[in-house]
């Protein structure tokens, strides 16, 4: 396993470089620059500012300078958030985004697997149709609809039970208080719960028909042993394969969710950075995301092999 | 007589399907007594497997069993699962056909065996482990202690079936139900597995139900036989009664359809035309030192290494016009690879294939396409090798359309219709799709597709292996009649030595990519010289209980060695082995012991 992991990490370096180059040049091709929106400056001063950030040099030279700094772990200063370096911004934002994302994916996995298994065990019965119907709704309604609707219901109107009112904060982070996290996590996790439960149901139905589950039953094992020990592990394989795309889905989802709920994660920086042509900030967030996706895909592949001993690291 | 262990009365199995209710087993009644072996024989769709799945509550969700199944007087049908599990897996156990899919892939052998034992008998871990090791020894599993930690995919088919048997016997059951236990296995491995089951029956006094389509397997094992057809038992009796004095027509037909390795000619069936009557002495095909190697990745630290897998390793033979060469050998011996390399369907590593004086390697694509008119192939799985979106008429016509574009559409249609009736298909079915046909009918389509271009050579790659015996015998008749009519040459690949005996003029025995023996069919079957040929022939069961009881079946113990190990090919010439798995080894010579009878060098037994 370790040689495989090392090979994969080494293989990730060219991938990262390509991503960095593509983003860098695409950002610079886009019309406008970081200082265009500011009030008009005298030409000498503007020239000095551009020189200070190396913007007067040809793009390929800027790219080499950027790469050189990156090798030393320096993501450069933010063009827009004055007095902050990109690293500092990411240091503040990443833990917030990570807390949100990881909670959402764990919730999605736990709920998705349970619901999918329950549906498969009650194949073609009311429970199955109910779960799968809900899942279909979860997939079709986009995040930018569920987020404001849930904020409206739980944040503005509130729920009224037995004379008590229940409200959840409709926005803000509040230092990561649980109440503030519930709505964003729910919105992020919903589509993933739906997709994972459908995946698990499909593979579980197939595994339950397999010869080795029949063997397990013929051995006289109790039902829960047959399902948990023999069937579930094989049924989880498609979920593990889906984890890579799921993480990507969560990241794009978090851009919307962080913006709507006003959460100070890196997703928000990404949107703002792209609009303001804050070159270094966008680059920093992209590198961060790319490394994250590559790393989690590696974890998913290793997990796959641990679940299925037939897979060999090659 | 002792009291029966299992008493089955008025037993029915029904399946609800979308269209109708399918009655898979009808009104069955029989007993199984202590220590006896009951053979249940029937073709696919006879309900022989559903019978015991139904009795033990293992039917799919749309199936149900009615009637009565009593284990030592206790009714099993309708028991709640918890109560049923006290008998199932403990007193009555099952082993299934395909040992790869029947074992849980992500659990070690040890875990799966221990689980069976510890569910039913609450023994401590160490005790359970000891018992499992004893049972693994009993089924003659080598290196039992290491095997416990291995996963099913790390074992060969024969090993896996030993594990299944061990798992089913570890709780010391009264009754072992074996559902086609050897069907997926090679013939020498089948002989080993059957011997293990025979010994278990003797030593542990376990009663066995042996479900099989193979009359030979049943003959060697069963004390009593039930013949099933379309859900009903049509004949039952002792093995001797059923085999030597069959009363029902269906039993007689089944026995008659079985190809027999001990008989070259089947009464009342098509026979192979002797080469002299065909008269042709023209050499059509000449294969010289053909090698096909596949690079196999083996683990390296950072970068993987490759080793050659010698699938075909220096095979030479020739084929005359109208002649049939049978190629036999066990799985992994390279017989299919050899045929594909001869037809240039896969690339060869070394050697020459000369067809009618021209080396195929020199031919460029237009010439090669032209040559396809003369070379055709029929595959094993008839349904999978036909395009499901094309009507059978289109499939049959395709070689004509692409290789003889000068024909008009009407001519093509006429050709297709006449070929269809020639292979026994109603020409009115021309617009039907493959899924509307049975396996036998689809194989007729495959043969019609190969024959329509009137090729000079047809390769039959396990063309009858997936078919029931009665269908198989019809297809063999068809192939022989077509050859008598059109005079094409054939390469007939099969793992089934009995079928090859009926169809081939000469037989080549392959072992790990090399020829071990090559001779005309009578010499091979009546005077085999190589120990491997002898082992293969001894292992083939014959539908004759008295002959089966007397003869030794297992003359080749152990497993087929890994083909990646260069020493493996010298299994029968140990005296020349260089003890290094990567070394270049000695190549045994083929010695002509009689005219046209070649035997590879081997150590004297």
């Amino acid at each position: 396993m370790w040689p495989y992991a090392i090979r994969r990490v080494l293989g990730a370096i060219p991938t990262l470089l390509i991503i960095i180059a593509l983003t860098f040049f695409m950002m610079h091709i886009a019309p406008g620059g970081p200082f265009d929106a500011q009030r008009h400056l005298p030409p000498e001063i503007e020239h000095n500012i551009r020189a200070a950030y190396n913007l007067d040099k040809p793009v390929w030279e800027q790219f080499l300078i950027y790469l050189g700094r990156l090798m030393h772990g320096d993501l450069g200063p933010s063009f827009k958030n004055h007095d902050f370096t990109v690293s500092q911004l990411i240091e503040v934002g990443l833990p917030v985004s990570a807390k949100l994302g990881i909670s959402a994916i764990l919730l999605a996995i736990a709920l998705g697997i349970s619901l999918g298994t329950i549906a498969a065990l009650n194949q073609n019965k009311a429970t199955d149709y109910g779960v799968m119907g809900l899942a279909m709704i979860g997939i079709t309604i986009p995040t930018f609809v569920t987020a404001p609707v849930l904020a409206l219901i739980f944040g503005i109107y509130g729920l009224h039970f037995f004379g008590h009112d229940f409200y959840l904060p409709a926005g803000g982070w509040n230092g990561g208080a649980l109440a503030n996290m519930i709505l964003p996590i729910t919105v992020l996790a919903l589509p993933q719960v739906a997709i994972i439960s459908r995946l698990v149901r499909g593979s579980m139905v197939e595994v339950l028909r397999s010869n080795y589950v029949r063997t397990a039953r013929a051995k006289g094992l109790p039902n829960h042993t047959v399902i948990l020990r023999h069937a579930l592990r094989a049924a989880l394989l498609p979920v593990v394969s889906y984890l890579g795309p799921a993480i990507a889905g969560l990241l794009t989802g978090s851009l919307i969710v962080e913006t709507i709920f006003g959460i100070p994660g890196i997703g928000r920086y990404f949107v703002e950075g792209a609009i303001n042509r804050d070159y270094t900030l966008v680059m920093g967030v992209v590198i961060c995301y790319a490394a994250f996706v590559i790393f989690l895909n590696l974890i998913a592949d290793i997990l796959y092999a641990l679940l299925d001993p037939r897979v060999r690291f090659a | 007589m002792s009291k029966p262990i299992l008493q089955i009365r008025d037993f029915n199995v029904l399946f609800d399907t979308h269209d109708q209710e399918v009655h898979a087993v009808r009104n069955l009644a029989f007993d199984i007594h202590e220590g006896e072996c009951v053979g249940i024989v029937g073709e696919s769709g006879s309900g022989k497997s559903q019978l015991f799945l139904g009795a033990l509550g293992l039917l799919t969700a749309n199936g149900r069993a009615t009637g009565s199944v009593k284990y030592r007087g206790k009714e099993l049908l309708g028991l709640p699962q918890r109560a049923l599990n006290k008998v199932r897996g403990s007193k009555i156990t099952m082993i299934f056909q395909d040992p790869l899919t029947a074992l849980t892939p992500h659990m070690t052998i040890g875990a799966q065996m221990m689980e069976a034992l510890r569910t039913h008998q609450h023994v401590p871990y160490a005790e359970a482990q000891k018992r499992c090791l004893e049972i693994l020894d009993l089924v003659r599993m080598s290196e039992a202690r290491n095997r416990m930690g291995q996963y099913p995919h790390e074992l060969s088919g024969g090993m896996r079936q030993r594990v299944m048997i061990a798992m089913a016997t570890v709780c010391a059951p009264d009754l072992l139900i074996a559902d086609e236990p050897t069907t997926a296995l090679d013939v020498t491995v089948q002989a080993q597995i059957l011997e293990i089951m025979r010994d278990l029956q003797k030593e542990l006094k376990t009663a066995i139900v042996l479900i099989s389509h193979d009359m030979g397997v049943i003959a060697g094992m069963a004390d009593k036989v039930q013949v099933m057809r379309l859900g009903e038992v049509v004949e039952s009796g002792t093995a001797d009664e059923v085999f030597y004095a069959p009363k029902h027509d269906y039993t007689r037909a089944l026995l008659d359809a079985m190809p027999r390795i001990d008989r070259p000619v089947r009464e009342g069936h098509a026979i192979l035309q002797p080469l002299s009557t065909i008269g042709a002495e023209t050499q059509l095909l000449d294969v010289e030192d053909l090698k096909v190697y596949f690079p196999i990745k083996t683990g390296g630290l950072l970068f993987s290494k490759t080793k050659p897998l010698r699938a075909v390793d220096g095979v030479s033979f020739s084929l005359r016009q109208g002649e049939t060469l049978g190629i036999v050998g066990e799985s992994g011996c390279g017989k299919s690879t050899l045929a594909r390399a001869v037809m240039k369907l896969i690339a060869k590593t070394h050697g020459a294939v000369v067809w009618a004086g021209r080396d195929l390697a020199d031919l460029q694509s237009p010439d090669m396409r032209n040559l396809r008119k003369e070379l055709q192939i029929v595959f094993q799985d008839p349904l999978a090798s036909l395009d499901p979106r094309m009507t059978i008429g289109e499939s049959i016509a395709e070689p004509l359309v692409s290789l003889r574009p000068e024909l008009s559409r009407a001519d093509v249609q006429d050709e297709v219709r006449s070929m269809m009736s020639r292979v026994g298909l109603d020409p009115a079915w021309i617009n039907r799709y493959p899924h509307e046909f049975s396996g036998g009918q689809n194989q007729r389509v495959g043969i019609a597709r190969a024959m329509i271009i009137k090729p000079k050579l047809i390769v039959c790659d396990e063309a009858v292996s997936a078919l029931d015996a009665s269908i198989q015998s019809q297809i063999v008749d068809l192939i022989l009649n077509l050859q008598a009519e059109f005079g094409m040459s054939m390469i007939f690949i099969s793992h089934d030595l009995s079928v090859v005996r009926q169809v081939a003029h000469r037989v080549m025995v392959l072992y790990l990519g090399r020829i071990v023996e090559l001779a005309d069919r009578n010499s091979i079957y009546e005077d085999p010289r190589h120990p491997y040929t002898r082992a293969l022939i001894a292992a083939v069961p014959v539908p004759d209980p008295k002959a089966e009881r007397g003869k030794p079946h297992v003359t080749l113990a152990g497993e087929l060695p890994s083909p990646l190990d260069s020493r493996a090919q010298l299994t029968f010439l140990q005296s020349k082995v260089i003890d290094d798995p990567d070394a270049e080894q000695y190549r045994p010579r083929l010695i002509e012991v009689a005219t046209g009878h070649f035997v590879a060098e081997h150590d004297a037994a």
Side-chain angles (χ1 to χ4, degrees):
Chain A
M1 190 182 102
W2 285 113
Y4 172 78
I6 292 168
R7 247 180 300 157
R8 281 285 301 267
V9 170
L10 290 178
I13 292 172
T15 316
L16 263 180
L17 274 177
I18 291 170
I19 293 171
I20 291 168
L22 277 178
T23 332
F24 190 89
F25 290 111
M26 275 163 67
M27 281 297 290
H28 282 81
I29 287 169
F35 306 113
D36 290 0
Q38 286 173 0
R39 68 196 150 82
H40 198 69
L41 293 168
E44 318 80 76
I45 296 179
E46 187 171 342
H47 181 80
N48 283 343
I49 292 178
R50 292 177 65 86
Y53 289 108
N54 291 319
L55 291 172
D56 55 341
K57 298 201 171 77
V59 176
W60 62 268
E61 212 182 318
Q62 292 181 38
F63 180 62
L64 290 183
I65 294 170
Y66 183 77
L67 274 189
R69 283 191 182 158
L70 192 60
M71 294 300 140
H72 296 96
D74 179 8
L75 292 168
S78 168
F79 288 143
K80 282 290 175 177
N81 301 278
H82 301 290
D83 305 327
F84 287 101
T85 65
V86 171
S87 307
Q88 283 169 330
L89 290 175
I90 289 177
E91 253 168 57
V92 178
L94 188 62
V96 173
S97 290
K99 197 171 174 189
L100 212 57
I102 291 171
S103 317
I105 195 73
L106 290 181
L107 179 71
I109 290 173
L111 260 180
I113 291 174
S114 318
L115 287 174
T117 308
I118 290 169
L121 291 176
N122 296 290
Q123 204 197 339
N124 298 338
K125 291 183 195 150
T127 320
D128 182 19
Y129 292 135
V131 171
M132 284 304 109
L134 283 178
M136 191 51 93
I137 294 171
I139 290 172
T140 45
I141 301 183
T143 311
F144 57 79
V145 175
T146 42
V149 168
L150 288 183
L152 195 66
I153 296 175
F154 293 98
I156 312 296
Y157 298 147
L159 293 180
H160 312 282
F161 285 127
F162 310 110
H164 292 276
D165 294 342
F166 296 93
Y167 283 98
L168 286 170
W173 184 240
N174 195 17
L178 181 66
N180 288 65
M181 282 179 39
I182 290 177
L183 282 182
I185 288 177
T186 311
V187 171
L188 270 182
L190 265 182
Q192 305 303 332
V193 172
I195 295 173
I196 291 174
S197 64
R198 286 175 62 86
L199 278 175
V200 170
R201 178 194 179 268
S203 60
M204 193 71 175
V205 162
E206 204 169 295
V207 171
L208 285 176
R209 278 197 220 118
S210 73
N211 283 347
Y212 59 86
V213 167
R214 183 179 65 185
T215 306
R217 291 197 195 286
K219 273 155 80 176
L221 304 179
N223 215 8
H224 61 90
T225 312
V226 173
I227 289 159
L228 294 180
R229 200 184 290 167
H230 290 264
L232 188 59
R233 201 164 136 184
L236 288 186
L237 291 177
V239 176
V240 175
S241 310
Y242 173 66
L243 277 186
I247 306 290
L250 274 183
L251 290 179
T252 47
S254 71
L255 300 185
I256 298 168
V257 168
E258 287 180 14
T259 311
I260 292 178
F261 288 102
I263 291 165
I266 55 169
R268 216 186 38 172
Y269 291 145
F270 190 65
V271 179
E272 288 171 7
I275 293 169
N276 294 329
R277 304 285 182 276
D278 191 341
Y279 295 150
T280 44
L281 183 56
V282 170
M283 294 298 299
V285 176
V286 164
I287 292 170
C288 204
Y289 276 175
F292 203 55
V293 168
I294 290 172
F295 176 70
L296 285 168
N297 270 303
L298 174 64
I299 298 285
D301 286 351
I302 290 174
L303 209 59
Y304 197 99
L306 289 180
L307 281 176
D308 188 348
R310 284 169 299 182
V311 174
R312 289 226 313 243
F313 296 108
Chain B
M1 188 159 233
S2 61
K3 278 192 103 177
I5 310 177
L6 201 68
Q7 208 170 22
I8 297 177
R9 292 290 177 271
D10 302 324
F11 187 72
N12 287 278
V13 173
L14 300 126
F15 289 94
D16 296 317
T17 67
H18 283 298
D19 320 325
Q20 55 182 325
E21 198 175 59
V22 176
H23 212 145
V25 176
R26 291 163 193 271
N27 303 324
L28 237 60
F30 65 91
D31 295 342
I32 296 162
H33 294 270
E34 223 140 321
E36 72 178 359
C37 178
V38 178
I40 301 202
V41 71
E43 296 187 292
S44 48
S46 63
K48 58 189 192 300
S49 296
Q50 298 304 335
L51 160 59
F52 284 97
L53 292 179
L56 292 182
L58 294 170
L59 294 174
T60 49
N62 64 338
R64 65 203 146 85
T66 64
S68 156
V69 176
K70 282 186 177 150
Y71 167 74
R72 296 193 187 281
K74 183 180 169 186
E75 181 61 50
L76 294 183
L77 284 193
L79 270 189
Q81 202 185 38
R82 198 179 283 266
L84 182 60
N85 277 345
K86 290 202 161 50
V87 177
R88 180 165 84 174
S90 148
K91 301 295 176 198
I92 305 177
T93 57
M94 282 189 90
I95 57 182
F96 298 100
Q97 172 172 352
D98 182 354
L100 177 58
T101 60
L103 288 166
T104 303
H106 56 254
M107 286 174 69
T108 60
I109 303 307
Q112 298 191 50
M113 288 183 67
M114 306 260 282
E115 170 187 68
L117 187 57
R118 298 190 76 196
T119 301
H120 296 291
Q121 303 171 12
H122 302 280
V123 289
Y125 186 87
E127 165 77 15
Q129 201 169 28
K130 202 172 128 252
R131 293 261 295 277
C132 288
L133 283 173
E134 283 168 9
I135 288 284
L136 282 176
D137 279 338
L138 202 64
V139 298
R140 276 163 247 155
M141 189 81 155
S142 59
E143 300 171 59
R145 193 167 284 278
N146 293 337
R147 301 289 182 207
M148 297 272 284
Q150 285 186 307
Y151 290 97
H153 71 277
E154 298 174 274
L155 305 179
S156 68
M159 287 287 189
R160 286 184 211 127
Q161 200 57 293
R162 282 163 211 249
V163 171
M164 278 299 284
I165 296 176
M167 205 161 79
T169 30
V170 74
C171 292
D174 293 337
L175 175 61
L176 175 69
I177 296 160
D179 187 357
E180 301 269 13
T182 58
T183 306
L185 304 176
D186 278 320
V187 55
T188 55
V189 182
Q190 162 171 293
Q192 294 171 8
I193 296 291
L194 291 177
E195 188 150 284
I196 290 166
M197 289 176 56
R198 234 174 260 135
D199 289 352
L200 284 180
Q201 190 193 0
K202 232 179 283 164
E203 283 169 34
L204 306 178
K205 308 269 180 279
T206 313
I208 293 179
V209 172
L210 180 66
I211 302 170
S212 181
H213 69 285
D214 186 333
M215 293 294 258
V217 169
I218 297 280
M221 294 282 299
D223 305 309
K224 288 191 207 153
V225 179
Q226 312 256 355
V227 183
M228 282 188 74
R229 183 189 181 211
L230 300 175
E232 282 171 298
V233 168
V234 295
E235 178 157 4
S236 62
T238 65
D240 286 2
E241 285 165 7
V242 170
F243 278 90
Y244 299 125
K247 290 190 197 72
H248 198 280
D249 287 343
Y250 180 71
T251 315
R252 274 196 285 272
L254 258 188
L255 283 169
D256 174 63
M258 279 296 289
R260 292 186 60 156
I261 197 166
D262 53 346
R263 287 184 198 160
V265 177
R266 293 176 306 149
E267 302 288 330
H269 285 274
I271 52 164
L272 183 65
Q273 299 295 313
L275 267 182
S276 54
T277 64
I278 302 166
E281 282 297 296
T282 334
Q283 194 103 320
L284 262 188
L285 178 70
D286 209 7
V287 175
E288 201 59 54
D289 200 26
L290 188 66
K291 292 178 182 170
V292 183
Y293 291 179
F294 298 113
I296 298 292
K297 281 204 173 115
T298 55
L301 193 61
L302 264 188
F303 300 97
S304 52
K305 288 181 263 183
T306 56
K307 259 179 139 178
L309 180 103
R310 299 172 168 90
V312 176
D313 195 15
V315 170
S316 307
F317 66 92
S318 59
L319 192 65
R320 281 168 292 178
Q321 192 177 336
E323 186 184 26
T324 302
L325 175 70
I327 302 182
V328 298
E330 298 185 283
S331 47
C333 74
K335 50 193 190 299
S336 291
T337 310
L338 172 60
R340 273 152 218 215
V342 165
M343 297 195 66
K344 217 177 161 183
L345 292 174
I346 53 174
K348 62 180 197 280
T349 311
H350 173 85
V353 178
V354 179
W355 171 258
R358 292 195 293 175
D359 191 333
L360 291 195
D362 300 337
L363 292 182
Q364 297 310 310
S365 59
D367 288 336
M368 193 59 220
R369 249 175 78 82
N370 250 326
L371 205 76
R372 293 265 173 243
K373 280 184 205 169
E374 299 175 0
L375 307 170
Q376 287 292 321
I377 186 163
V378 180
F379 294 101
Q380 170 168 10
D381 185 337
L383 188 58
S385 49
L386 290 170
D387 188 331
R389 284 166 210 84
M390 283 166 80
T391 65
I392 60 157
E394 288 166 342
S395 280
I396 296 172
E398 210 173 29
L400 277 186
V401 173
S402 60
L403 296 173
R404 289 180 60 194
E406 74 277 8
L407 288 180
S408 73
R409 274 177 80 169
D411 288 345
V412 170
Q413 286 276 318
D414 287 346
E415 290 272 337
V416 170
R417 283 173 199 277
S418 77
M419 186 47 77
M420 281 179 72
S421 52
R422 183 64 200 79
V423 299
L425 292 168
D426 186 341
W429 298 340
I430 192 163
N431 286 323
R432 294 200 186 176
Y433 287 91
H435 68 263
E436 299 176 63
F437 292 107
S438 66
Q441 286 168 327
N442 274 320
Q443 198 55 297
R444 286 173 196 269
V445 174
I447 290 170
R449 184 197 52 74
M451 282 303 297
I452 194 146
I453 201 92
K454 306 270 158 43
K456 290 189 177 149
L457 171 68
I458 284 205
V459 173
C460 295
D461 188 357
E462 300 274 10
V464 298
S465 306
L467 306 173
D468 275 325
S470 58
I471 309 298
Q472 186 182 55
S473 122
Q474 293 167 15
I475 299 291
V476 165
D477 285 354
L478 173 66
I479 290 173
L480 289 174
N481 287 332
L482 286 172
Q483 190 180 34
E485 187 178 333
F486 297 104
M488 74 280 190
S489 306
M490 282 205 288
I491 293 180
F492 194 94
I493 299 165
S494 181
H495 68 279
D496 185 339
L497 283 86
S498 316
V499 175
V500 172
R501 174 145 213 194
Q502 326 291 318
V503 301
H505 297 102
R506 278 193 302 153
V507 179
M508 176 197 288
V509 182
L510 283 182
Y511 181 77
L512 292 177
R514 289 192 184 154
I515 298 178
V516 297
E517 192 156 358
L518 172 64
D520 65 86
R521 63 165 166 168
N522 287 336
S523 308
I524 283 274
Y525 289 101
E526 277 150 32
D527 184 22
R529 300 292 183 89
H530 196 279
Y532 182 64
T533 317
R534 287 186 186 162
L536 276 183
I537 292 173
V540 175
V542 183
D544 182 342
K546 283 176 188 149
E548 277 294 302
R549 278 173 212 142
K551 84 175 190 192
H553 297 85
V554 181
T555 55
L556 193 64
E559 296 286 308
L560 197 69
S562 160
L564 282 174
D565 186 337
S566 73
R567 294 169 296 183
Q569 289 170 317
L570 291 180
T571 306
F572 300 98
L573 194 59
Q574 290 294 339
S575 56
K576 299 266 189 184
V577 169
I578 304 165
D579 199 16
D580 172 3
D582 297 314
E584 198 57 41
Q585 301 281 349
Y586 178 77
R587 302 184 74 89
R589 287 169 301 137
L590 279 179
I591 298 164
E592 189 163 13
V593 293
T595 319
H597 189 159
F598 297 89
V599 181
E601 271 181 277
H602 56 269
D603 292 327

